[in-house]
Amino acid sequence: VQRTFSILKPDATRRNLTGAVNAVIEKAGLRIVAQKRIQMTKAQAETFYAVHAARPFFGELVEFMTSGPVVVQVLEGESAISAYRDVMGATNPANAAEGTIRKLFAESVGENTVHGSDAPETAALEIAQFFAGNEIV
Ligand code: ATP
Ligand code: MG
């Protein structure tokens, strides 16, 4: 059993889609073992997406991630990291497969509804950025 870190991004909370997205997550066999709604600070968003700091869209990305509340989550399941990436769909919703969260809900490559960790090392770091161990049950 593996854990991954998930964010329901501001476009999801703005459109009141957190329950709809969570239904897809749970239907995919992933268990939400921690969850909270927060307003990310600019510093938190910059730290979280530090790997993209040199990309041309970095400023826009930080702006978007702090534009409204997000729901941060820890998901647990068999091969949770790849399982969640599969159900999220491609970064650009135009390329996302049928039935994926981004195909169902995302509006653009920037406002693409969800984040999911891409590797065990990043999952551990991302979970630790937002959750204490005793918040994950
Ligand atoms: P995430 O890390 O959010 O789960 P991802 O792993 O599918 O998404 P990354 O390449 O890590 O994609 O990009 C991180 C985020 O940066 C994307 O989810 C998207 O919100 C934003 N992003 C990526 N490419 C672009 C782009 N060309 N223009 C605007 N925003 C982008
Ligand atoms: Mg990524």
Side-chain angles (χ1 to χ4, degrees):
V1 178
Q2 191 177 54
R3 285 176 176 173
T4 191
F5 180 72
S6 162
I7 304 178
L8 312 189
K9 296 184 179 184
D11 67 289
T13 62
R14 195 173 290 130
R15 291 178 289 153
N16 213 19
L17 290 174
T18 63
V21 175
N22 279 348
V24 180
I25 289 171
E26 291 181 335
K27 202 164 186 187
L30 292 160
R31 185 174 299 273
I32 302 165
V33 294
Q35 172 169 261
K36 58 189 170 189
R37 180 171 158 115
I38 61 166
Q39 171 66 49
M40 254 198 220
T41 65
K42 187 160 185 273
Q44 278 178 312
E46 285 172 348
T47 298
F48 183 75
Y49 278 125
V51 65
H52 296 307
R55 307 281 283 278
F57 56 80
F58 182 67
E60 193 184 315
L61 179 57
V62 169
E63 184 77 24
F64 168 59
M65 291 302 289
T66 57
S67 68
V70 299
V71 176
V72 291
Q73 304 175 317
V74 180
L75 308 181
E76 194 172 86
E78 204 59 52
S79 303
I81 294 170
S82 64
Y84 189 42
R85 300 281 299 184
D86 287 348
V87 76
M88 284 165 56
T91 306
N92 186 340
N95 304 325
E98 282 309 321
T100 62
I101 293 167
R102 284 166 168 166
K103 176 71 173 189
L104 287 166
F105 303 117
E107 309 194 286
S108 66
V109 64
E111 308 209 353
N112 61 4
T113 313
V114 279
H115 161 81
S117 306
D118 56 16
E121 301 71 33
T122 47
L125 285 171
E126 291 172 0
I127 289 168
Q129 189 185 344
F130 292 97
F131 290 99
N134 65 4
E135 291 181 303
I136 306 167
V137 294

PDB file of all heavy atoms in Angstrom, residues 70-83:
ATOM      1  N   VAL A  70      -7.892  25.702  -1.644  1.00  0.00           N
ATOM      2  CA  VAL A  70      -7.606  24.385  -2.229  1.00  0.00           C
ATOM      3  C   VAL A  70      -7.935  23.340  -1.164  1.00  0.00           C
ATOM      4  O   VAL A  70      -8.025  23.651   0.022  1.00  0.00           O
ATOM      5  CB  VAL A  70      -6.130  24.235  -2.664  1.00  0.00           C
ATOM      6  CG1 VAL A  70      -5.763  25.256  -3.727  1.00  0.00           C
ATOM      7  CG2 VAL A  70      -5.181  24.330  -1.472  1.00  0.00           C
ATOM      8  N   VAL A  71      -8.106  22.099  -1.612  1.00  0.00           N
ATOM      9  CA  VAL A  71      -8.256  20.980  -0.682  1.00  0.00           C
ATOM     10  C   VAL A  71      -7.028  20.102  -0.849  1.00  0.00           C
ATOM     11  O   VAL A  71      -6.780  19.585  -1.941  1.00  0.00           O
ATOM     12  CB  VAL A  71      -9.546  20.178  -0.954  1.00  0.00           C
ATOM     13  CG1 VAL A  71      -9.622  18.963  -0.028  1.00  0.00           C
ATOM     14  CG2 VAL A  71     -10.769  21.066  -0.772  1.00  0.00           C
ATOM     15  N   VAL A  72      -6.232  20.001   0.221  1.00  0.00           N
ATOM     16  CA  VAL A  72      -5.056  19.131   0.185  1.00  0.00           C
ATOM     17  C   VAL A  72      -5.444  17.792   0.793  1.00  0.00           C
ATOM     18  O   VAL A  72      -6.232  17.732   1.748  1.00  0.00           O
ATOM     19  CB  VAL A  72      -3.842  19.766   0.904  1.00  0.00           C
ATOM     20  CG1 VAL A  72      -3.309  20.951   0.126  1.00  0.00           C
ATOM     21  CG2 VAL A  72      -4.172  20.170   2.336  1.00  0.00           C
ATOM     22  N   GLN A  73      -4.912  16.732   0.202  1.00  0.00           N
ATOM     23  CA  GLN A  73      -5.312  15.379   0.600  1.00  0.00           C
ATOM     24  C   GLN A  73      -4.128  14.422   0.602  1.00  0.00           C
ATOM     25  O   GLN A  73      -3.172  14.617  -0.151  1.00  0.00           O
ATOM     26  CB  GLN A  73      -6.305  14.794  -0.422  1.00  0.00           C
ATOM     27  CG  GLN A  73      -7.532  15.610  -0.678  1.00  0.00           C
ATOM     28  CD  GLN A  73      -8.395  15.026  -1.789  1.00  0.00           C
ATOM     29  OE1 GLN A  73      -7.869  14.597  -2.827  1.00  0.00           O
ATOM     30  NE2 GLN A  73      -9.694  15.008  -1.575  1.00  0.00           N
ATOM     31  N   VAL A  74      -4.243  13.383   1.402  1.00  0.00           N
ATOM     32  CA  VAL A  74      -3.380  12.216   1.263  1.00  0.00           C
ATOM     33  C   VAL A  74      -4.271  11.055   0.827  1.00  0.00           C
ATOM     34  O   VAL A  74      -5.310  10.803   1.445  1.00  0.00           O
ATOM     35  CB  VAL A  74      -2.666  11.862   2.583  1.00  0.00           C
ATOM     36  CG1 VAL A  74      -1.768  10.641   2.393  1.00  0.00           C
ATOM     37  CG2 VAL A  74      -1.863  13.055   3.091  1.00  0.00           C
ATOM     38  N   LEU A  75      -3.872  10.396  -0.256  1.00  0.00           N
ATOM     39  CA  LEU A  75      -4.625   9.254  -0.795  1.00  0.00           C
ATOM     40  C   LEU A  75      -3.808   7.988  -0.569  1.00  0.00           C
ATOM     41  O   LEU A  75      -2.585   7.991  -0.722  1.00  0.00           O
ATOM     42  CB  LEU A  75      -4.879   9.436  -2.296  1.00  0.00           C
ATOM     43  CG  LEU A  75      -5.497  10.759  -2.735  1.00  0.00           C
ATOM     44  CD1 LEU A  75      -5.709  10.761  -4.251  1.00  0.00           C
ATOM     45  CD2 LEU A  75      -6.807  11.025  -2.001  1.00  0.00           C
ATOM     46  N   GLU A  76      -4.494   6.921  -0.246  1.00  0.00           N
ATOM     47  CA  GLU A  76      -3.822   5.646   0.018  1.00  0.00           C
ATOM     48  C   GLU A  76      -4.432   4.551  -0.846  1.00  0.00           C
ATOM     49  O   GLU A  76      -5.651   4.539  -1.060  1.00  0.00           O
ATOM     50  CB  GLU A  76      -4.011   5.301   1.507  1.00  0.00           C
ATOM     51  CG  GLU A  76      -3.110   4.215   2.016  1.00  0.00           C
ATOM     52  CD  GLU A  76      -3.240   4.079   3.534  1.00  0.00           C
ATOM     53  OE1 GLU A  76      -4.140   3.354   3.968  1.00  0.00           O
ATOM     54  OE2 GLU A  76      -2.457   4.727   4.255  1.00  0.00           O
ATOM     55  N   GLY A  77      -3.575   3.665  -1.336  1.00  0.00           N
ATOM     56  CA  GLY A  77      -4.064   2.535  -2.123  1.00  0.00           C
ATOM     57  C   GLY A  77      -2.905   1.770  -2.730  1.00  0.00           C
ATOM     58  O   GLY A  77      -1.742   2.162  -2.587  1.00  0.00           O
ATOM     59  N   GLU A  78      -3.243   0.707  -3.442  1.00  0.00           N
ATOM     60  CA  GLU A  78      -2.243  -0.076  -4.162  1.00  0.00           C
ATOM     61  C   GLU A  78      -1.661   0.788  -5.271  1.00  0.00           C
ATOM     62  O   GLU A  78      -2.415   1.347  -6.066  1.00  0.00           O
ATOM     63  CB  GLU A  78      -2.937  -1.320  -4.745  1.00  0.00           C
ATOM     64  CG  GLU A  78      -2.028  -2.485  -5.010  1.00  0.00           C
ATOM     65  CD  GLU A  78      -1.317  -2.968  -3.757  1.00  0.00           C
ATOM     66  OE1 GLU A  78      -1.987  -3.233  -2.745  1.00  0.00           O
ATOM     67  OE2 GLU A  78      -0.076  -3.043  -3.805  1.00  0.00           O
ATOM     68  N   SER A  79      -0.336   0.954  -5.322  1.00  0.00           N
ATOM     69  CA  SER A  79       0.314   1.798  -6.342  1.00  0.00           C
ATOM     70  C   SER A  79      -0.402   3.143  -6.460  1.00  0.00           C
ATOM     71  O   SER A  79      -0.719   3.591  -7.569  1.00  0.00           O
ATOM     72  CB  SER A  79       0.343   1.100  -7.698  1.00  0.00           C
ATOM     73  OG  SER A  79       0.999  -0.133  -7.610  1.00  0.00           O
ATOM     74  N   ALA A  80      -0.629   3.786  -5.329  1.00  0.00           N
ATOM     75  CA  ALA A  80      -1.454   5.007  -5.298  1.00  0.00           C
ATOM     76  C   ALA A  80      -0.919   6.113  -6.212  1.00  0.00           C
ATOM     77  O   ALA A  80      -1.712   6.844  -6.821  1.00  0.00           O
ATOM     78  CB  ALA A  80      -1.563   5.521  -3.864  1.00  0.00           C
ATOM     79  N   ILE A  81       0.395   6.227  -6.307  1.00  0.00           N
ATOM     80  CA  ILE A  81       0.959   7.330  -7.105  1.00  0.00           C
ATOM     81  C   ILE A  81       0.560   7.191  -8.571  1.00  0.00           C
ATOM     82  O   ILE A  81      -0.005   8.118  -9.161  1.00  0.00           O
ATOM     83  CB  ILE A  81       2.490   7.405  -6.928  1.00  0.00           C
ATOM     84  CG1 ILE A  81       2.821   7.793  -5.473  1.00  0.00           C
ATOM     85  CG2 ILE A  81       3.111   8.391  -7.922  1.00  0.00           C
ATOM     86  CD1 ILE A  81       4.298   7.666  -5.118  1.00  0.00           C
ATOM     87  N   SER A  82       0.819   6.035  -9.154  1.00  0.00           N
ATOM     88  CA  SER A  82       0.476   5.853 -10.570  1.00  0.00           C
ATOM     89  C   SER A  82      -1.030   5.697 -10.758  1.00  0.00           C
ATOM     90  O   SER A  82      -1.587   6.154 -11.764  1.00  0.00           O
ATOM     91  CB  SER A  82       1.245   4.675 -11.176  1.00  0.00           C
ATOM     92  OG  SER A  82       0.871   3.479 -10.554  1.00  0.00           O
ATOM     93  N   ALA A  83      -1.699   5.084  -9.786  1.00  0.00           N
ATOM     94  CA  ALA A  83      -3.157   4.939  -9.894  1.00  0.00           C
ATOM     95  C   ALA A  83      -3.827   6.310  -9.951  1.00  0.00           C
ATOM     96  O   ALA A  83      -4.758   6.541 -10.732  1.00  0.00           O
ATOM     97  CB  ALA A  83      -3.702   4.122  -8.727  1.00  0.00           C
TER      98      ALA A  83
END
